[in-house]
Every structure is written in C-alpha cells, then in structure tokens.
Amino acid sequence: MRRWFTSSALRPLWLLVMLVLLWDLGIRLFKVPPYLIPTPLSVARQLVVEWPMLWRETLPTLYATLGGFALSALVGVPIAMWIAYSRLVESFVYPLLVFSQSIPKVAIAPLFVVWFGFGIVPKVIAAFLLGFFPVVVATVQGFKSVEADVIDLARSMGANPLEVFLKFRLPTALPSIFSGLKVSVTLAVVGAVVGEFVGSNSGIGYVLQKANGTFDLPLMFAALVILSMVGVLLFLAIELIERWLMPWHASQRIDVQLAA
C-alpha cells in the first residue's frame, strides 16, 4: 500500500481524486445548483451513458489534431533550422511569425470554412496554426544553443557538415525540439476544437456547442474530460518517444537515479 501511495506515476491520480472530492464537497457545502456546476457523479454517469457517442465524436477531433500537429512538426522544424542558420532569414521571417501569432485564430477560422468548406481541412489548419509557433521557437533556441567551440573542435578533427549536424547540432537541439512538440500537441487539440466551433457537424467541439445550446452541463463537462484525456495521452506519447530517442539526456538520468 505504501508503494501505491508513494509511486510517482500514481501521484497525479491521487491529486485528481482529491480535486474531484473537493469538487463534490464544495457543491454540497455551498449548495451550488446543478444548472451552474454539475456534480462529479452526474458527469461520470453522462460519460458512461454517452460513451459511444463521445467516442464517435472524439475521432474527428483526434484526426484533426494529429494532422495539425504533424504539419506543425514537418513545417516548423525545417523553418526553424533555416532561421537558426541564417541571420538574414531570421531578420525577415522571425518577426512575421511573431506577428502572425498576435492574430486571434478564432477570428480567422471562419475564413478557412469559406475557403475549404466544412470538412476536416479547416480544423487541421486551425490546429496547425496554434501548434506551429512553439515548435519554431523551441527549435530555433535548440539549434542556437550549440557551443561554437564544440563545432570548431569537431571540424578541426575532420568532421564534415553532415557529421557535425548529426553528432553535435541535432543531439544538442533535440531536448528543445521535444519541448516545443509537447507544447504543440496540446495546443493542436485546442486548435482542432476552435475549428469545430466555427463550422462542423461532428467532433468534440460540436458536442460542446450542442450541450451549451441545451444547457446540458453534465454532457459539456464530460466532453471537456474527453478533451483533457486526449491532450494528456498525446503529451505522454511524445514524452515516451523523447525518452526512447534521448536516453542519454540529463533529465532521463535523473529519473533513473530517483527511481533507484
């Protein structure tokens, strides 16, 4: 039992249980009406009863999220490398990227519906726009953090540009790249839902809109729980890939020492 309560993997679960208990206790103590905040039991009941529908509507949101995240990685990393290796490109492109992030995505999402219709494409673009910037910023920072003395030493020992990139630049930048990817994948979920808010007849965003229109708060909270689970699972998937690709990194060694 002591291992169960002290396990680092289960600590988030215990915190979640405590928050749910406090949620239920607060509703009972302050007598909050159900049309303002539903009880945890009613949300859990809605999750069970509406699970087939929620699972069916989760798939379009998941597809749009994965599509937008994949575009963020495939486009963001090369552009970040381009910016990191060229001061001229950085002076032209970087300010435009920062400027593009100041535009609210909710304001321009209707344009994507006008241009691309009501399919999955507007949702993917909205997810891409939200997840793209963290990948670029983190990757630029990662490639710029390579010590110049290390590169000079590698070149003096006869390393060609490809070897310098694969053995020095890329390993140094990988932690920052994965930090950007982990932020990007959670923002991609938000972007997909934003796209569904604007124009869609499927997805968790559509469920949220429908529940809001009928004041079905338990269904709304159940949909939010599903969205949170999707974000957490995608975040953990990126983290597992990071651990697999970077067992040599200091953060992984610290985890091993703590586990021992």
Side-chain angles (χ1 to χ4, degrees):
M1 290 296 294
R2 183 179 179 182
R3 285 187 176 183
W4 277 86
F5 283 104
T6 58
S7 172
S8 60
L10 293 177
R11 285 171 188 168
L13 178 61
W14 301 134
L15 178 60
L16 182 62
V17 170
M18 290 178 58
L19 291 176
V20 171
L21 291 176
L22 289 174
W23 173 9
D24 186 72
L25 183 63
I27 290 176
R28 295 176 186 274
L29 285 178
F30 297 103
K31 297 180 180 179
V32 181
Y35 60 83
L36 289 181
I37 301 178
T39 62
L41 183 60
S42 64
V43 175
R45 187 184 301 115
Q46 199 77 329
L47 276 170
V48 173
V49 173
E50 299 291 346
W51 175 251
M53 182 272 293
L54 288 172
W55 170 251
R56 186 175 64 250
E57 300 297 343
T58 300
L59 292 179
T61 304
L62 181 61
Y63 296 152
T65 299
L66 293 176
F69 172 69
L71 277 178
S72 299
L74 293 174
V75 176
V77 173
I79 288 180
M81 292 172 58
W82 195 27
I83 292 173
Y85 289 145
S86 173
R87 293 186 178 274
L88 181 63
V89 173
E90 180 181 8
S91 63
F92 277 102
V93 177
Y94 216 26
L96 291 178
L97 292 177
V98 176
F99 171 77
S100 67
Q101 291 304 301
S102 64
I103 302 174
K105 304 304 179 290
V106 180
I108 62 174
L111 291 175
F112 303 145
V113 176
V114 174
W115 293 338
F116 303 105
F118 288 90
I120 194 174
V121 175
K123 291 79 175 175
V124 171
I125 294 176
F128 163 72
L129 290 178
L130 274 179
F132 170 73
F133 192 66
V135 175
V136 174
V137 172
T139 304
V140 169
Q141 186 66 30
F143 279 105
K144 282 190 171 185
S145 63
V146 182
E147 293 290 342
D149 294 339
V150 175
I151 303 300
D152 292 339
L153 177 62
R155 288 172 177 167
S156 68
M157 297 178 68
N160 58 47
L162 181 60
E163 289 175 335
V164 170
F165 176 79
L166 293 178
K167 295 182 179 180
F168 296 96
R169 294 188 186 274
L170 184 59
T172 304
L174 271 179
S176 297
I177 293 174
F178 274 101
S179 297
L181 291 176
K182 286 188 283 189
V183 175
S184 173
V185 76
T186 54
L187 290 178
V189 178
V190 179
V193 174
V194 167
E196 291 170 350
F197 278 159
V198 174
S200 178
N201 56 2
S202 63
I204 295 297
Y206 171 72
V207 174
L208 287 171
Q209 277 194 320
K210 185 172 67 173
N212 186 39
T214 58
F215 295 97
D216 190 349
L217 290 187
L219 179 59
M220 185 182 298
F221 273 67
L224 292 175
V225 169
I226 296 294
L227 276 180
S228 301
M229 290 173 59
V230 169
V232 168
L233 291 175
L234 292 176
F235 183 92
L236 291 177
I238 301 299
E239 194 167 69
L240 287 175
I241 297 173
E242 179 186 15
R243 290 174 181 269
W244 176 60
L245 288 178
M246 298 192 310
W248 44 266
H249 194 248
S251 62
Q252 312 303 332
R253 295 199 298 271
I254 291 172
D255 289 345
V256 172
Q257 293 171 4
L258 291 176

